[in-house]
Amino acid sequence: MHTFAEFVRYATMAPSGHNTQPWKFSVEKDCIRIFPDFTRALPVVDPDNRELYISIGCALENLAIAAKYAGYDPEVKYFQASEPDECLLVTLKHSKVTEDNNLFQAISRRHTNRREYNKQQIPAADLKKIESVPTEEGVTSLMLTEPGAIKEIIELVREGNRIQMNNDAFMDEITSWIRFSDSEAELHLDGLTSRAMGKSPAPGWLGRMFMRIFVGAKSQSKTDEKNMRSSSALMVVISEKNDKKIVDRCRAKL
Ligand SMILES: Cc1cc2nc3c(=O)[nH]c(=O)nc-3n(C[C@H](O)[C@H](O)[C@H](O)COP(=O)(O)O)c2cc1C
């Protein structure tokens, strides 16, 4: 695993809003550029492209982990004015330091879980360890384990679902990114698959009809509450500003 193209492959395993994968890459002899792909923006749910920039930050994080694992020392320049197109510039030089490979192994194992957890508690010492991962300046995190605090978040999620899911434009946008059947998933290689949402695949026409009739704020909030109550902790990542360099740097905590 030494070629720059392979680092890009690991970068593309990063999480992204609605799995839009809103990034493009260019590979040169000693550097890789990551460009935001605005053709994959989500104007309804993410009108300021905040989540788009967090997503490309996640791709950057994977790329850096893969490059370090292969013996490179990545140096990142964020959105330099001298670049003709807005991008993250990652310069790669050989490094003498060998990296612990746990993070690298985690890239292909990590995925989003939208199913109920098994209620197994994560040991407090491990939660502390996650909490103490250093963040970039302007980024903080909050680990919530107390039932009272979790209840407050459940109320916020319920309110969020009520606002979003009663908005036809939101529902149309998310439906356009759902890949209901396996053949739709294979055709697009992006978006939210039925399986990733904890549902069985179905023909596209049936899935879209089901979405229109049965999916709404109430049912979503019920699922979200079940998932949150069964999880050992909730972690909230907070950026002081909505500046794109800051949101990009939230990546290390995601
Ligand atoms: C910025 C950002 C926002 C996200 N928002 C949500 C969300 O609101 N609800 C959700 O279920 N998943 C959310 N996700 C998870 C993505 O849907 C998920 O990463 C994507 O579908 C790819 O799947 P994977 O994480 O299993 O690789 C978000 C991910 C990112 C990076």
Side-chain angles (χ1 to χ4, degrees):
M1 209 277 303
H2 290 289
T3 69
F4 286 9
E6 282 171 289
F7 302 162
V8 170
R9 193 168 74 80
Y10 283 99
T12 63
M13 292 182 195
S16 57
H18 288 6
N19 196 21
T20 51
Q21 303 166 26
W23 42 61
K24 283 184 181 170
F25 299 86
S26 74
V27 176
E28 281 168 47
K29 211 170 127 260
D30 61 351
C31 66
I32 298 174
R33 285 181 176 79
I34 308 178
F35 302 90
D37 182 353
F38 296 109
T39 66
R40 295 177 161 266
L42 296 167
V44 180
V45 76
D46 186 27
D48 304 324
N49 289 322
R50 184 177 191 275
E51 299 196 3
L52 184 147
Y53 283 106
I54 295 176
S55 303
I56 63 166
C58 293
L60 168 65
E61 182 68 9
N62 277 14
L63 193 144
I65 290 169
K68 282 185 193 168
Y69 175 69
Y72 287 86
D73 178 18
E75 188 204 338
V76 185
K77 297 236 165 69
Y78 296 85
F79 310 113
Q80 283 188 303
S82 54
E83 290 284 330
D85 293 306
E86 184 185 32
C87 69
L88 302 170
L89 171 65
V90 189
T91 306
L92 295 160
K93 289 194 199 95
H94 280 286
S95 160
K96 290 196 176 70
V97 186
T98 47
E99 285 285 323
D100 150 30
N101 74 14
N102 283 343
L103 283 175
F104 175 70
Q105 303 301 339
I107 292 179
S108 47
R109 292 211 310 268
R110 182 214 62 83
H111 63 86
T112 300
N113 175 44
R114 298 185 184 84
R115 294 185 177 88
E116 204 174 345
Y117 289 85
N118 62 4
K119 298 198 172 80
Q120 192 185 328
Q121 292 304 300
I122 300 173
D126 291 350
L127 290 179
K128 273 245 145 13
K129 224 168 157 183
I130 298 171
E131 224 181 340
S132 64
V133 170
T135 48
E136 302 274 352
E137 206 189 316
V139 180
T140 49
S141 65
L142 205 58
M143 191 67 85
L144 305 174
T145 51
E146 293 303 317
I150 291 178
K151 190 165 178 290
E152 275 184 53
I153 301 288
I154 289 172
E155 286 308 320
L156 289 171
V157 168
R158 191 174 284 143
E159 175 69 359
N161 283 338
R162 198 185 57 72
I163 295 168
Q164 285 190 327
M165 302 191 79
N166 287 312
N167 176 353
D168 288 344
F170 171 85
M171 292 305 283
D172 287 348
E173 185 179 76
I174 193 167
T175 305
S176 75
W177 283 97
I178 296 179
R179 312 304 177 214
F180 291 98
S181 63
D182 286 342
S183 56
E184 281 184 6
E186 276 157 32
L187 178 71
H188 292 278
L189 296 177
D190 62 12
L192 301 161
T193 64
S194 294
R195 289 178 200 278
M197 294 197 299
K199 304 270 185 290
S200 302
W205 64 268
L206 186 62
R208 275 175 268 279
M209 194 171 79
F210 185 88
M211 278 287 286
R212 257 200 325 275
I213 300 172
F214 296 108
V215 178
K218 252 191 173 158
S219 63
Q220 186 61 47
S221 294
K222 216 168 139 191
T223 306
D224 291 342
E225 178 168 356
K226 207 165 56 181
N227 294 352
M228 283 189 278
R229 287 203 191 278
S230 64
S231 67
S232 190
L234 300 181
M235 191 167 97
V236 183
V237 181
I238 305 151
S239 69
E240 267 169 28
K241 291 190 262 172
N242 247 349
D243 164 66
K244 68 185 167 196
K245 192 167 161 185
I246 295 281
V247 295
D248 188 75
R249 285 177 171 193
C250 288
R251 70 183 198 266
K253 275 282 185 183
L254 285 174

